[in-house]
Amino acid sequence: MANTAKPCKLALIQLAVSADKDANLANARTHVLEAASKGANLIVLPECFNSPYGTGYFPEYAETLADGPSVKSLSAMAKDAKAYLIGGSIPERDPTDEKIYNTCTVYNPEGKLIATHRKVHLFDIDVPGKIRFQESETLTAGRQLTHVDTDFGKIGVGICYDIRFPEPAMIAARQGCFAMIYPGAFNLTTGPLHWELLQRARAVDNQMYVAACSPARDLKAAYHAWGHSTIVGPAGNVIETMDENQGIIYADLDLKTMAEFRQNIPLTTQRRFDLYADISKVKP
Ligand SMILES: NC(=O)CCC(=O)C(=O)O
């Protein structure tokens, strides 16, 4: 794990998202610059921040990374903020096969696009009488895990439903990431049940920082986001959280304390992979 001297101030922007893409980009910009003015140098936007969240909207709002307005705008925001920007996610159209992905783009403080993560676990659930959502109706799943090198150290990126799967976070931690960042949009059924629990679980299992950044709740929208963007520390402790409204939360991520904590309770070196090396071969 990189133990850097450069302090990392994380900001999660819980953005109010509308059906107007230009307005969403402008709102994101205002908040990114506000976070930077408060000293944040790692700034995160929510899942699907430039479009309403819904399978019917994805094809309509999808854009290519090469020449879409969102990438241009996010790159300028990162550059003007002089901060790393984990640009939430956007519906991305791949011009080679016309498939659509739920994609997070990441920028360095010079505004260069340094990583993309296409959501690898699509949100396909059916809880009778509560919520049915099938991202796979219009989206395709990504095919790789994403780790990003920054001046602070390495960071793993997932998107929302990806957090339910412990393996990517464990792989990220074992490969030296100090944080997992999840732009996400849980809902009023699964949010109260699992949103915070999953973040704390990923954090305590891997003794790493975990942050999840949601859109603000809009009860007039088709999908009601849970909100409650949250930052969790390597001991599984909630450092900062919020309600369902638009706003920003901040935390200083302290890698020295994290390293000490990992030394005190050395889970990584105590793992018994001789007993559970390849769980994919265990029949459910
Ligand atoms: N956007 C999502 O992936 C939602 C995931 C979710 O709500 C869950 O319960 O998981």
Side-chain angles (χ1 to χ4, degrees), residues 194-226:
H194 294 152
W195 173 252
E196 182 182 305
L197 178 66
L198 285 165
Q199 290 170 66
R200 297 187 68 191
R202 298 295 82 87
V204 78
D205 277 353
N206 300 298
Q207 302 177 306
M208 72 198 309
Y209 286 97
V210 171
C213 183
S214 171
R217 190 176 307 160
D218 175 4
L219 290 177
K220 293 190 289 318
Y223 184 88
H224 300 156
W226 174 236

Tab-separated table of all heavy atoms in Angstrom, residues 194-226:
chain	number	residue	atom	x	y	z
A	194	HIS	N	-29.530	-1.618	3.523
A	194	HIS	CA	-28.172	-2.086	3.181
A	194	HIS	C	-27.139	-1.032	2.820
A	194	HIS	O	-25.961	-1.362	2.718
A	194	HIS	CB	-28.270	-3.080	2.004
A	194	HIS	CG	-28.983	-4.338	2.352
A	194	HIS	ND1	-29.667	-5.090	1.421
A	194	HIS	CD2	-29.110	-4.992	3.536
A	194	HIS	CE1	-30.192	-6.148	2.024
A	194	HIS	NE2	-29.875	-6.107	3.299
A	195	TRP	N	-27.551	0.196	2.535
A	195	TRP	CA	-26.602	1.211	2.014
A	195	TRP	C	-25.398	1.382	2.948
A	195	TRP	O	-24.249	1.189	2.556
A	195	TRP	CB	-27.365	2.510	1.817
A	195	TRP	CG	-26.609	3.743	1.454
A	195	TRP	CD1	-26.366	4.810	2.277
A	195	TRP	CD2	-26.057	4.105	0.174
A	195	TRP	NE1	-25.691	5.794	1.598
A	195	TRP	CE2	-25.497	5.388	0.307
A	195	TRP	CE3	-25.995	3.469	-1.065
A	195	TRP	CZ2	-24.867	6.059	-0.739
A	195	TRP	CZ3	-25.373	4.129	-2.118
A	195	TRP	CH2	-24.811	5.402	-1.952
A	196	GLU	N	-25.673	1.719	4.197
A	196	GLU	CA	-24.558	1.946	5.130
A	196	GLU	C	-23.884	0.628	5.522
A	196	GLU	O	-22.662	0.542	5.617
A	196	GLU	CB	-25.067	2.670	6.377
A	196	GLU	CG	-23.941	2.967	7.351
A	196	GLU	CD	-24.424	3.642	8.621
A	196	GLU	OE1	-25.095	4.692	8.541
A	196	GLU	OE2	-24.124	3.110	9.713
A	197	LEU	N	-24.715	-0.390	5.716
A	197	LEU	CA	-24.174	-1.701	6.125
A	197	LEU	C	-23.134	-2.216	5.132
A	197	LEU	O	-22.060	-2.694	5.510
A	197	LEU	CB	-25.331	-2.701	6.246
A	197	LEU	CG	-24.973	-4.130	6.613
A	197	LEU	CD1	-24.410	-4.199	8.032
A	197	LEU	CD2	-26.196	-5.039	6.491
A	198	LEU	N	-23.458	-2.106	3.840
A	198	LEU	CA	-22.529	-2.608	2.818
A	198	LEU	C	-21.232	-1.811	2.812
A	198	LEU	O	-20.141	-2.375	2.640
A	198	LEU	CB	-23.185	-2.561	1.434
A	198	LEU	CG	-24.235	-3.650	1.190
A	198	LEU	CD1	-25.089	-3.318	-0.027
A	198	LEU	CD2	-23.569	-5.008	1.006
A	199	GLN	N	-21.338	-0.505	2.997
A	199	GLN	CA	-20.110	0.303	3.011
A	199	GLN	C	-19.251	-0.065	4.204
A	199	GLN	O	-18.025	-0.215	4.097
A	199	GLN	CB	-20.470	1.789	3.073
A	199	GLN	CG	-21.090	2.293	1.793
A	199	GLN	CD	-21.659	3.679	1.970
A	199	GLN	OE1	-20.919	4.627	2.187
A	199	GLN	NE2	-22.969	3.804	1.889
A	200	ARG	N	-19.885	-0.246	5.346
A	200	ARG	CA	-19.117	-0.597	6.548
A	200	ARG	C	-18.534	-2.002	6.412
A	200	ARG	O	-17.422	-2.275	6.876
A	200	ARG	CB	-20.013	-0.477	7.782
A	200	ARG	CG	-20.490	0.956	8.003
A	200	ARG	CD	-21.236	1.118	9.301
A	200	ARG	NE	-20.338	0.948	10.424
A	200	ARG	CZ	-20.731	0.830	11.678
A	200	ARG	NH1	-22.019	0.877	11.968
A	200	ARG	NH2	-19.844	0.671	12.637
A	201	ALA	N	-19.283	-2.876	5.763
A	201	ALA	CA	-18.783	-4.248	5.571
A	201	ALA	C	-17.546	-4.257	4.682
A	201	ALA	O	-16.528	-4.879	5.002
A	201	ALA	CB	-19.881	-5.122	4.959
A	202	ARG	N	-17.626	-3.550	3.549
A	202	ARG	CA	-16.469	-3.507	2.638
A	202	ARG	C	-15.279	-2.868	3.355
A	202	ARG	O	-14.135	-3.271	3.184
A	202	ARG	CB	-16.785	-2.711	1.362
A	202	ARG	CG	-17.914	-3.250	0.469
A	202	ARG	CD	-17.623	-4.602	-0.146
A	202	ARG	NE	-17.909	-5.699	0.764
A	202	ARG	CZ	-19.089	-6.298	0.927
A	202	ARG	NH1	-20.119	-5.930	0.205
A	202	ARG	NH2	-19.245	-7.288	1.793
A	203	ALA	N	-15.544	-1.865	4.193
A	203	ALA	CA	-14.453	-1.168	4.886
A	203	ALA	C	-13.820	-2.061	5.946
A	203	ALA	O	-12.597	-2.212	5.994
A	203	ALA	CB	-14.978	0.121	5.519
A	204	VAL	N	-14.648	-2.691	6.779
A	204	VAL	CA	-14.083	-3.449	7.904
A	204	VAL	C	-13.428	-4.737	7.408
A	204	VAL	O	-12.400	-5.162	7.944
A	204	VAL	CB	-15.157	-3.700	8.993
A	204	VAL	CG1	-16.103	-4.836	8.629
A	204	VAL	CG2	-14.506	-3.961	10.333
A	205	ASP	N	-13.965	-5.335	6.372
A	205	ASP	CA	-13.352	-6.560	5.827
A	205	ASP	C	-11.956	-6.281	5.291
A	205	ASP	O	-11.075	-7.130	5.352
A	205	ASP	CB	-14.169	-7.093	4.644
A	205	ASP	CG	-15.343	-7.934	5.094
A	205	ASP	OD1	-15.453	-8.217	6.294
A	205	ASP	OD2	-16.155	-8.311	4.223
A	206	ASN	N	-11.807	-5.110	4.710
A	206	ASN	CA	-10.568	-4.827	3.974
A	206	ASN	C	-9.721	-3.749	4.627
A	206	ASN	O	-8.681	-3.380	4.096
A	206	ASN	CB	-10.924	-4.412	2.536
A	206	ASN	CG	-11.668	-5.523	1.839
A	206	ASN	OD1	-11.119	-6.606	1.667
A	206	ASN	ND2	-12.926	-5.288	1.482
A	207	GLN	N	-10.184	-3.223	5.748
A	207	GLN	CA	-9.458	-2.194	6.514
A	207	GLN	C	-9.046	-1.044	5.592
A	207	GLN	O	-7.890	-0.651	5.527
A	207	GLN	CB	-8.262	-2.821	7.209
A	207	GLN	CG	-8.692	-3.957	8.148
A	207	GLN	CD	-7.539	-4.656	8.812
A	207	GLN	OE1	-6.624	-5.120	8.135
A	207	GLN	NE2	-7.560	-4.732	10.123
A	208	MET	N	-10.038	-0.570	4.871
A	208	MET	CA	-9.786	0.510	3.910
A	208	MET	C	-10.906	1.552	4.019
A	208	MET	O	-11.953	1.290	4.616
A	208	MET	CB	-9.707	-0.050	2.479
A	208	MET	CG	-11.047	-0.494	1.927
A	208	MET	SD	-10.974	-1.611	0.481
A	208	MET	CE	-9.891	-0.766	-0.644
A	209	TYR	N	-10.668	2.721	3.425
A	209	TYR	CA	-11.738	3.722	3.333
A	209	TYR	C	-12.748	3.281	2.275
A	209	TYR	O	-12.375	2.707	1.240
A	209	TYR	CB	-11.159	5.084	2.943
A	209	TYR	CG	-10.416	5.757	4.063
A	209	TYR	CD1	-9.032	5.659	4.163
A	209	TYR	CD2	-11.100	6.488	5.029
A	209	TYR	CE1	-8.343	6.281	5.203
A	209	TYR	CE2	-10.424	7.107	6.075
A	209	TYR	CZ	-9.052	7.001	6.154
A	209	TYR	OH	-8.384	7.604	7.194
A	210	VAL	N	-14.007	3.574	2.543
A	210	VAL	CA	-15.071	3.315	1.567
A	210	VAL	C	-15.981	4.536	1.539
A	210	VAL	O	-16.332	5.075	2.597
A	210	VAL	CB	-15.887	2.052	1.945
A	210	VAL	CG1	-17.116	1.906	1.058
A	210	VAL	CG2	-15.020	0.793	1.828
A	211	ALA	N	-16.319	4.975	0.343
A	211	ALA	CA	-17.235	6.114	0.231
A	211	ALA	C	-18.249	5.828	-0.864
A	211	ALA	O	-17.905	5.256	-1.901
A	211	ALA	CB	-16.456	7.380	-0.093
A	212	ALA	N	-19.487	6.212	-0.614
A	212	ALA	CA	-20.538	6.031	-1.609
A	212	ALA	C	-21.292	7.345	-1.769
A	212	ALA	O	-21.718	7.956	-0.780
A	212	ALA	CB	-21.488	4.911	-1.203
A	213	CYS	N	-21.433	7.776	-3.017
A	213	CYS	CA	-21.973	9.102	-3.314
A	213	CYS	C	-23.256	8.973	-4.136
A	213	CYS	O	-23.239	8.467	-5.256
A	213	CYS	CB	-20.916	9.895	-4.084
A	213	CYS	SG	-21.422	11.582	-4.430
A	214	SER	N	-24.350	9.432	-3.557
A	214	SER	CA	-25.687	9.266	-4.145
A	214	SER	C	-26.189	10.581	-4.745
A	214	SER	O	-25.785	11.663	-4.308
A	214	SER	CB	-26.661	8.836	-3.036
A	214	SER	OG	-28.003	8.853	-3.480
A	215	PRO	N	-27.124	10.493	-5.692
A	215	PRO	CA	-27.886	11.704	-6.042
A	215	PRO	C	-28.796	12.079	-4.870
A	215	PRO	O	-29.123	11.229	-4.035
A	215	PRO	CB	-28.743	11.272	-7.246
A	215	PRO	CG	-28.318	9.902	-7.600
A	215	PRO	CD	-27.566	9.322	-6.448
A	216	ALA	N	-29.208	13.341	-4.826
A	216	ALA	CA	-30.215	13.754	-3.844
A	216	ALA	C	-31.549	13.111	-4.211
A	216	ALA	O	-31.769	12.710	-5.355
A	216	ALA	CB	-30.339	15.270	-3.844
A	217	ARG	N	-32.424	12.984	-3.224
A	217	ARG	CA	-33.736	12.370	-3.495
A	217	ARG	C	-34.667	13.366	-4.181
A	217	ARG	O	-34.735	14.528	-3.818
A	217	ARG	CB	-34.374	11.918	-2.177
A	217	ARG	CG	-35.623	11.066	-2.408
A	217	ARG	CD	-36.178	10.558	-1.088
A	217	ARG	NE	-35.160	9.889	-0.302
A	217	ARG	CZ	-35.241	9.682	1.014
A	217	ARG	NH1	-36.299	10.104	1.688
A	217	ARG	NH2	-34.275	9.072	1.662
A	218	ASP	N	-35.396	12.869	-5.188
A	218	ASP	CA	-36.387	13.688	-5.878
A	218	ASP	C	-37.652	12.847	-5.996
A	218	ASP	O	-37.732	11.922	-6.815
A	218	ASP	CB	-35.856	14.078	-7.271
A	218	ASP	CG	-36.892	14.824	-8.089
A	218	ASP	OD1	-37.997	15.102	-7.556
A	218	ASP	OD2	-36.603	15.126	-9.261
A	219	LEU	N	-38.637	13.156	-5.184
A	219	LEU	CA	-39.839	12.315	-5.151
A	219	LEU	C	-40.704	12.502	-6.395
A	219	LEU	O	-41.642	11.746	-6.621
A	219	LEU	CB	-40.637	12.584	-3.869
A	219	LEU	CG	-39.956	12.085	-2.586
A	219	LEU	CD1	-40.757	12.455	-1.347
A	219	LEU	CD2	-39.693	10.575	-2.623
A	220	LYS	N	-40.353	13.487	-7.233
A	220	LYS	CA	-41.086	13.649	-8.503
A	220	LYS	C	-40.456	12.799	-9.611
A	220	LYS	O	-41.039	12.628	-10.678
A	220	LYS	CB	-41.095	15.126	-8.911
A	220	LYS	CG	-41.922	16.002	-7.953
A	220	LYS	CD	-42.144	17.398	-8.467
A	220	LYS	CE	-40.965	18.319	-8.488
A	220	LYS	NZ	-40.031	18.354	-7.386
A	221	ALA	N	-39.272	12.288	-9.370
A	221	ALA	CA	-38.601	11.462	-10.387
A	221	ALA	C	-39.158	10.041	-10.350
A	221	ALA	O	-39.807	9.636	-9.374
A	221	ALA	CB	-37.101	11.439	-10.108
A	222	ALA	N	-38.870	9.278	-11.413
A	222	ALA	CA	-39.362	7.900	-11.475
A	222	ALA	C	-38.665	7.025	-10.434
A	222	ALA	O	-39.260	6.107	-9.870
A	222	ALA	CB	-39.126	7.342	-12.876
A	223	TYR	N	-37.390	7.291	-10.179
A	223	TYR	CA	-36.595	6.500	-9.230
A	223	TYR	C	-36.277	7.379	-8.033
A	223	TYR	O	-35.781	8.497	-8.197
A	223	TYR	CB	-35.304	6.036	-9.921
A	223	TYR	CG	-34.432	5.130	-9.083
A	223	TYR	CD1	-34.626	3.741	-9.088
A	223	TYR	CD2	-33.394	5.636	-8.302
A	223	TYR	CE1	-33.821	2.893	-8.335
A	223	TYR	CE2	-32.585	4.800	-7.550
A	223	TYR	CZ	-32.799	3.431	-7.569
A	223	TYR	OH	-31.994	2.593	-6.835
A	224	HIS	N	-36.568	6.886	-6.860
A	224	HIS	CA	-36.349	7.675	-5.643
A	224	HIS	C	-35.049	7.239	-4.970
A	224	HIS	O	-34.982	6.182	-4.341
A	224	HIS	CB	-37.520	7.510	-4.677
A	224	HIS	CG	-38.825	7.960	-5.275
A	224	HIS	ND1	-40.052	7.504	-4.851
A	224	HIS	CD2	-39.082	8.835	-6.288
A	224	HIS	CE1	-41.015	8.080	-5.564
A	224	HIS	NE2	-40.449	8.886	-6.442
A	225	ALA	N	-34.017	8.065	-5.123
A	225	ALA	CA	-32.706	7.712	-4.561
A	225	ALA	C	-32.730	7.859	-3.045
A	225	ALA	O	-33.388	8.751	-2.498
A	225	ALA	CB	-31.630	8.610	-5.161
A	226	TRP	N	-31.976	6.993	-2.384
A	226	TRP	CA	-31.920	7.007	-0.923
A	226	TRP	C	-31.161	8.236	-0.408
A	226	TRP	O	-31.455	8.777	0.646
A	226	TRP	CB	-31.265	5.704	-0.452
A	226	TRP	CG	-30.983	5.596	1.014
A	226	TRP	CD1	-29.771	5.342	1.599
A	226	TRP	CD2	-31.915	5.701	2.098
A	226	TRP	NE1	-29.894	5.290	2.968
A	226	TRP	CE2	-31.205	5.506	3.299
A	226	TRP	CE3	-33.289	5.952	2.168
A	226	TRP	CZ2	-31.809	5.557	4.541
A	226	TRP	CZ3	-33.895	6.004	3.420
A	226	TRP	CH2	-33.162	5.808	4.589
